Amino acid sequence: MTTRAIYPARRAVEHAVTVPGVRPVRLFAVSWPLWEVEITANVYDEQAYEVIDRFLARALAEGGIGTRDELVAFFGLEPSLVDRCLAFLTVIGHLTVSRHGEVRLTELGLRSVRAGVRYTPKESRQKVLIERFTGRPLPRHYYRGSLTVLPSPNVPQELLDDRARFLPVFAPTAFHSRVVDDLAARPDRADYNLPAQLREIRGVAARDAYLPTYLIETSDRSLLAYTDTGSGRDDFMEAVCRDVPAIRARIDTVDRVNPRELWTEWLADRKFGPGWLQELPNAVWRVILAPSAFGGSSKLPLSQVGSFQLRNHHFLQLWCDDAGLRRRAVLERALGMARLYGVRTRADLADRAAGLAAQLEVALPTFAELRAHAVAERMYDHLGHLDVLE
């Protein structure tokens, strides 16, 4: 399990507010319970037969021969040589030899003879993630290296870069080995991080694991789910939410507040200058601030134009009607995106910046405009990241 920085809540909100026909109203950060199951299995290397081994195995499979003495007589070999070959094939699981000298090929030995290669077993260890409420295995895309899965429902503060507070979620189900058996029997198990070439699969240990997840409640009480598995919604977790009434019940225990009162009080505690609250048609709340509220050492950073504040499960967009200011914010945030691990080409950067530009209601800057801004503002480190993009 990794401990990279948690996928920030504001990114989930930024996506949710762009979903057509959806009215997002509250956000809940939850530590979603999983099992991290360590399994062992056999994987078989394909190796070339030694010449004598191959003929001995074929004689057992195709020649009607069934004892050690018959093999010695049939091939005219030294008994000690046959014994050494049989001992080796026994060790790698290709045959059995009784104390009376009867020799039988195992299933693995028969498979090897038919394939014309010597399959040699090796033990492989693998981890699979299982959702606790439903017992469903998590799809393969959950296993990429940047996903944070924690051993405890308590999310360390140093992994957070916003005000999200994670609620623990309790799943009363106990782990059972049949979860692994059911997964191993699935024809599509490779889609769930269990490769098809693994055989004799068995569970070794199941540990508690927790996936940081954001659930965004909409005005019709449905739930959008977000995890650090991509740039959009998490379809797998949304399906689980629909099938687990306990999640809806857990959210319903959280008291509702009046958003206007909440944000009026918040704005009064800040020194941003005049601000006007506005509820947008999609139920998102926005505070419109003067350009002077952004950019100075004692003011809001320019990068926060269009971003969201979180408070009591609600979110508020910081806004300025000055399109020029919003465009500068896009330029600076897009330059920051060029430094992200997943941005390796100019096309990657354009894809990321397009959503930001749409959110701030300005035109998408070109690569040349980004570079010119970096030069003008002496953002040389950002410029270096730009120049290495393919």
Side-chain angles (χ1 to χ4, degrees):
M1 290 185 283
T2 61
T3 52
R4 297 171 65 96
I6 302 296
Y7 169 67
R10 65 176 180 274
R11 281 177 51 193
V13 175
E14 287 172 357
H15 183 275
V17 299
T18 67
V19 179
V22 168
R23 293 166 54 85
V25 292
R26 292 195 298 174
L27 176 139
F28 295 85
V30 299
S31 296
W32 198 283
L34 310 174
W35 285 302
E36 184 185 60
V37 184
E38 184 178 1
I39 65 168
T40 59
N42 289 335
V43 61
Y44 294 94
D45 284 345
E46 295 183 6
Q47 302 174 351
Y49 270 112
E50 299 293 337
V51 174
I52 296 178
D53 292 346
R54 181 171 182 271
F55 281 110
L56 292 178
R58 287 193 62 187
L60 293 167
E62 303 167 2
I65 292 176
T67 69
R68 173 260 197 191
D69 292 340
E70 289 174 349
L71 289 170
V72 170
F74 183 78
F75 288 107
L77 297 172
E78 289 291 331
S80 60
L81 175 60
V82 172
D83 287 341
R84 287 198 300 272
C85 293
L86 294 181
F88 172 73
L89 291 173
T90 300
V91 167
I92 65 172
H94 280 224
L95 53 81
T96 61
V97 181
S98 75
R99 63 180 179 176
H100 303 296
E102 296 175 341
V103 184
R104 296 287 183 272
L105 284 173
T106 63
E107 181 185 352
L108 176 60
L110 286 169
R111 268 199 305 126
S112 296
V113 170
R114 295 185 189 117
V117 294
R118 187 178 71 196
Y119 289 122
T120 302
K122 292 185 177 180
E123 186 176 81
S124 173
R125 288 184 176 269
Q126 189 89 5
K127 290 182 180 179
V128 293
L129 297 172
I130 306 293
E131 195 283 314
R132 280 205 207 183
F133 285 101
T134 63
R136 297 173 191 167
L138 272 62
R140 188 167 52 192
H141 62 265
Y142 281 85
Y143 295 86
R144 61 186 181 86
S146 63
L147 183 70
T148 296
V149 178
L150 301 172
S152 163
N154 301 315
V155 179
Q157 288 298 308
E158 62 269 21
L159 299 184
L160 299 174
D161 69 351
D162 53 33
R163 293 174 58 87
R165 294 186 178 182
F166 283 80
L167 302 174
V169 176
F170 175 70
T173 50
F175 178 77
H176 196 285
S177 60
R178 68 171 175 270
V179 170
V180 174
D181 298 337
D182 291 345
L183 175 57
R186 292 181 63 147
D188 62 347
R189 71 186 196 191
D191 295 336
Y192 300 91
N193 205 45
L194 200 60
Q197 62 266 34
L198 297 182
R199 297 174 179 271
E200 294 90 47
I201 296 168
R202 51 218 177 262
V204 174
R207 289 181 286 272
D208 292 345
Y210 296 87
L211 177 65
T213 303
Y214 299 113
L215 303 179
I216 295 184
E217 182 186 32
T218 66
S219 58
D220 63 0
R221 300 182 76 250
S222 61
L223 295 173
L224 311 182
Y226 292 85
T227 59
D228 196 9
T229 56
S231 58
R233 293 157 61 183
D234 188 320
D235 294 337
F236 175 84
M237 293 304 299
E238 287 187 9
V240 172
C241 287
R242 289 193 293 270
D243 293 341
V244 180
I247 299 304
R248 181 71 257 176
R250 177 71 176 90
I251 288 175
D252 286 342
T253 64
V254 178
D255 292 337
R256 296 179 180 273
V257 299
N258 184 308
R260 182 177 292 279
E261 294 177 2
L262 173 70
W263 296 118
T264 297
E265 179 184 348
W266 177 86
L267 189 58
D269 291 339
R270 303 302 187 272
K271 306 298 182 182
F272 300 149
W276 298 267
L277 289 173
Q278 177 185 28
E279 184 180 12
L280 302 179
N282 64 349
V284 173
W285 284 85
R286 170 184 285 179
V287 59
I288 303 172
L289 301 170
S292 59
F294 298 93
S297 58
S298 61
K299 301 176 182 179
L300 289 165
L302 184 61
S303 61
Q304 290 197 21
V305 177
S307 67
F308 288 86
Q309 293 289 313
L310 305 176
R311 191 181 178 98
N312 290 359
H313 304 292
H314 289 263
F315 37 88
L316 172 76
Q317 187 180 37
L318 303 179
W319 193 255
C320 180
D321 284 339
D322 187 326
L325 184 78
R326 298 201 306 274
R327 182 165 177 76
R328 280 201 300 140
V330 170
L331 288 166
E332 294 205 2
R333 289 182 62 182
L335 287 170
M337 291 174 179
R339 306 176 64 175
L340 297 177
Y341 174 78
V343 176
R344 301 187 179 184
T345 67
R346 295 183 182 187
D348 291 338
L349 180 57
D351 286 343
R352 296 253 187 167
L356 175 63
Q359 176 189 324
L360 269 67
E361 301 176 10
V362 297
L364 175 66
T366 65
F367 187 83
E369 288 172 329
L370 286 174
R371 200 177 189 287
H373 185 77
V375 171
E377 298 297 324
R378 299 182 179 181
M379 302 170 69
Y380 298 123
D381 184 45
H382 294 75
L383 187 60
H385 284 86
L386 273 184
D387 287 344
V388 299
L389 296 180
E390 300 172 359

